[in-house]
Amino acid sequence: METRQILETIKMIEEEKLDIRTITMGISLLDCIDSDGVKARQKIYNKITRLAKDLVKVGEEITSEFGIPIINKRISVTPIALIAGASDDKDYVEFAKTLDAAAKTVGVNFIGGFSALVQKGYHKGDEILIDSIPRALAETERVCASVNIGSTQTGINMDAVRKMGEVIKASAELTKDNQSMGCAKLVVFANAVEDNPFMAGAFHGVGEADCVINVGVSGPGVVKRALEKVKGESFDMVAEVIKKTAFKITRMGQLVGHEASTRLGVKFGIVDLSLAPTPAIGDSVAHILEEMGLEVVGTHGTTAALAMLNDAVKKGGVMACGHVGGLSGAFIPVSEDAGMIDAVNKGALNLEKLEAMTCVCSVGLDMVAIPGDTSAATISAIIADEAAIGVINHKTTAVRIIPAVGMKVGDNVEFGGLLGHAPIMPVNPFNSDAFIARGGRIPAPIHSFKN
Amino acid sequence: MKTILTVIGKDKTGIIAGISQKLFALNINILDVSQTIMGDYFTMIMLLDLSQITTSFEETKAELVQTGEKLKVKVNIQREEIFDAMHRL
């Protein structure tokens, strides 16, 4: 027995908030397709509740036996636009309600997959689904929606970008009595990945097996503590420490994922090597960057620090597990990270810097609150900017933005729980209306001559 | 099931006695023990074999944690695999 290692592990869990952020069961609904919407929904409910009935129980057993907290147990399903598109239904809110009911029955806190993939164009189901999103999010509690509007192979569907600005506005409006919470459950992606276990953007891609378990690990606190021990040392050392720490964190994810998949009798998919923050003290990605020597996150040097962190996490994690996937890297949601919230309040972090940071992090503008009177076209333009970064740079980017109804810069929107709270950030006051009004498709970028 | 039990707290008499008595009562075999004082803190690590327990893991864990509370020390019990996974290739 190595006393030091045992104590280190316990300390990482107890004090540094190391956890398994989520085990997400991906379930294919392709065999639930039916021309009769009622029948399709019955099949969906039956399949989800059958496959996921022990998910929460197994998660809790593992937490207890291994002493490692598993914070979320969740489900992702095949994009509903594909499933519901076969029916004659004119809106898909009922499908969302079915997912919600199934999630409640099995006890998971979120179910993702009220989604459409429209990077190149719409089919019938996509259009209906996107139109249904605002009501679906307002009238359900646990359903998460996502729409993929661009990819490196296909370019950016600017019609969908325009539409999503309107959908986000409508979602905010319909949930205005609840802090515009609908928008916190809606992600707009470019280059979406099919095995991402993290909400709100999780869905179960059509290339996946019938049912898999994906795991998302997290431990910003552990990385921060590890870096405290190498204060003032060179970046060679910093990178090395992050790599080693990421390795240990990921090994834990691999073990938990393997154990969960064995107990549930379900294939093990991937480990998402992530540093996902929570609003709790000691669990912030921003604080890792500050530990590297930045006074406040958002100041000059932040992008470089984040790039290095992201890369080192991947390098350390890849060796530690069999199959890596998902989004993998550091997440920088504003409302869910104590350090990010502070940085916005201090005026160190603005939307422009966040956008720059998304060029090197694992996702994008995440849990950012903006004034409620921001126009749909401006939101679309923000989405287009993010999508362009993803499409040109062969990476996933996303926008989860909340135009908080009735709020202005200086106000604070409170979501509660893991979603935290977000100061309202100013947007550029000049409009992009004519730009967004064009629609059409921005062509796919050329793949050679990369710069 | 092999598990690692750790006991951490302010040093005083009777900690080892209290814990090992409880383990005996729960039909748990001690495979290995190491104990040291780190700073002011009593730190004990035990490798345990839980294959003979008569109650569930959940209840066993609860009893041990409770024993720890009575002795004013923090008791942790976790499956051995988690330590192996993290530190061994």
Side-chain angles (χ1 to χ4, degrees):
Chain A
M1 271 193 300
E2 279 268 7
T3 310
R4 200 176 49 82
Q5 292 178 342
I6 289 171
L7 293 177
E8 180 192 320
T9 305
I10 289 169
K11 201 169 142 217
M12 282 162 89
I13 297 169
E14 294 262 309
E15 292 171 27
E16 297 163 13
K17 302 206 165 34
L18 173 63
D19 59 44
I20 300 297
R21 188 49 50 87
T22 182
I23 51 175
T24 303
M25 179 181 271
I27 300 173
S28 168
L29 298 181
L30 288 171
D31 54 359
C32 300
I33 288 176
D34 200 299
S35 56
D36 180 342
V38 176
K39 280 192 192 149
R41 289 192 287 275
Q42 192 57 51
K43 286 190 216 171
I44 289 171
Y45 181 84
N46 292 347
K47 184 166 187 186
I48 294 173
T49 49
R50 175 170 56 85
L51 288 172
K53 68 175 193 304
D54 293 331
L55 178 63
V56 173
K57 182 173 77 95
V58 164
E60 280 162 7
E61 275 171 18
I62 294 173
T63 293
S64 169
E65 285 176 29
F66 291 85
I68 172 99
I70 300 172
I71 309 296
N72 297 304
K73 295 98 189 166
R74 292 166 169 178
I75 294 170
S76 64
V77 298
T78 312
I80 291 296
L82 297 175
I83 308 302
S87 72
D88 297 328
D89 289 20
K90 295 287 174 273
D91 89 57
Y92 297 159
V93 176
E94 284 305 316
F95 280 89
K97 287 184 178 167
T98 301
L99 295 178
D100 202 39
K104 283 176 181 156
T105 303
V106 299
V108 295
N109 59 354
F110 277 124
I111 183 163
F114 196 75
S115 307
L117 310 174
V118 297
Q119 56 270 35
K120 203 163 181 185
Y122 289 116
H123 66 73
K124 174 192 140 214
D126 294 329
E127 208 155 2
I128 304 175
L129 182 118
I130 291 173
D131 284 331
S132 308
I133 286 175
R135 266 189 60 212
L137 295 180
E139 292 175 25
T140 62
E141 194 189 319
R142 306 183 189 194
V143 173
C144 292
S146 63
V147 177
N148 192 53
I149 50 84
S151 79
T152 301
Q153 273 70 36
T154 61
I156 304 170
N157 181 346
M158 290 299 288
D159 291 324
V161 168
R162 179 174 57 200
K163 183 78 192 175
M164 288 317 293
E166 293 159 10
V167 166
I168 289 172
K169 285 288 281 184
S171 292
E173 190 59 41
L174 282 183
T175 51
K176 66 179 173 195
D177 298 330
N178 188 19
Q179 311 284 323
S180 301
M181 181 64 116
C183 301
K185 298 185 288 178
L186 170 59
V187 184
V188 185
F189 274 116
N191 287 330
V193 292
E194 302 200 325
D195 54 7
N196 158 29
F198 285 102
M199 294 299 166
F203 64 87
H204 188 72
V206 288
E208 298 280 308
D210 193 53
C211 185
V212 293
I213 286 289
N214 294 330
V215 169
V217 297
S218 186
V222 182
V223 175
K224 159 89 165 61
R225 284 294 191 89
L227 287 183
E228 285 171 8
K229 292 177 197 137
V230 291
K231 250 188 195 6
E233 305 227 26
S234 76
F235 274 107
D236 309 79
M237 179 61 94
V238 173
E240 199 59 27
V241 167
I242 297 171
K243 265 179 6 192
K244 285 184 180 149
T245 313
F247 177 85
K248 290 178 191 170
I249 297 171
T250 311
R251 292 286 289 177
M252 205 168 257
Q254 171 82 4
L255 173 74
V256 167
H258 182 75
E259 196 65 33
S261 92
T262 309
R263 290 184 191 196
L264 288 163
V266 170
K267 258 193 166 58
F268 182 28
I270 54 103
V271 177
D272 188 315
L273 318 174
S274 289
L275 295 179
T278 69
I281 299 300
D283 208 15
S284 156
V285 170
H287 289 158
I288 298 176
L289 305 178
E290 289 171 2
E291 184 58 39
M292 287 187 208
L294 305 168
E295 186 182 0
V296 183
V297 94
T299 188
H300 304 290
T302 303
T303 311
L306 182 61
M308 201 217 65
L309 171 65
N310 228 35
D311 182 62
V313 166
K314 288 180 194 180
K315 283 175 179 162
V318 161
M319 170 78 180
C321 65
H323 295 282
V324 178
L327 300 165
S328 287
F331 284 41
I332 50 165
V334 174
S335 77
E336 300 168 13
D337 187 313
M340 298 283 280
I341 295 168
D342 286 346
V344 173
N345 284 334
K346 284 176 186 161
L349 185 61
N350 53 31
L351 269 184
E352 288 73 17
K353 187 63 180 182
L354 269 176
E355 184 183 312
M357 289 164 74
T358 63
C359 300
V360 299
C361 83
S362 71
V363 203
L365 289 178
D366 195 13
M367 291 304 283
V368 173
I370 56 173
D373 60 1
T374 309
S375 75
T378 294
I379 295 172
S380 293
I382 293 171
I383 294 170
D385 281 342
E386 266 311 307
I389 289 171
V391 165
I392 297 289
N393 294 300
H394 301 257
K395 72 185 292 295
T396 305
T397 49
V399 173
R400 181 160 54 144
I401 198 162
I402 302 109
V405 174
M407 297 208 185
K408 53 187 188 314
V409 176
D411 292 342
N412 197 40
V413 51
E414 184 73 53
F415 301 109
L418 277 178
L419 294 174
H421 65 101
I424 307 287
M425 298 174 76
V427 296
N428 195 304
F430 298 97
N431 79 59
S432 322
D433 296 6
F435 177 79
I436 292 303
R438 284 177 188 271
R441 183 147 61 96
I442 294 180
I446 192 159
H447 292 263
S448 50
F449 309 115
K450 274 171 73 181
N451 59 11
Chain B
M1 188 202 298
K2 281 189 186 168
T3 61
I4 301 275
L5 179 94
T6 58
V7 181
I8 301 171
K10 245 191 152 37
D11 195 21
K12 61 168 190 164
T13 53
I15 301 177
I16 297 180
I19 298 285
S20 46
Q21 237 164 35
K22 190 73 202 176
L23 292 172
F24 175 61
L26 290 167
N27 219 14
I28 295 170
N29 193 21
I30 303 171
L31 303 175
D32 198 354
V33 193
S34 87
Q35 186 265 308
T36 178
I37 305 288
M38 288 168 72
D40 270 351
Y41 280 87
F42 171 90
T43 307
M44 177 166 71
I45 297 173
M46 286 176 157
L47 179 65
L48 306 176
D49 176 5
L50 266 65
S51 58
Q52 304 295 319
I53 52 170
T54 47
T55 55
S56 69
F57 177 84
E58 239 358 271
E59 287 166 49
T60 306
K61 180 179 174 178
E63 292 232 15
L64 286 167
V65 170
Q66 215 178 16
T67 306
E69 279 163 9
K70 272 187 216 146
L71 293 165
K72 297 200 167 61
V73 289
K74 187 149 177 47
V75 170
N76 241 310
I77 181 163
Q78 284 157 291
R79 285 179 68 146
E80 185 200 17
E81 289 98 315
I82 198 136
F83 303 99
D84 270 352
M86 208 179 216
H87 297 283
R88 257 173 239 164
L89 260 181

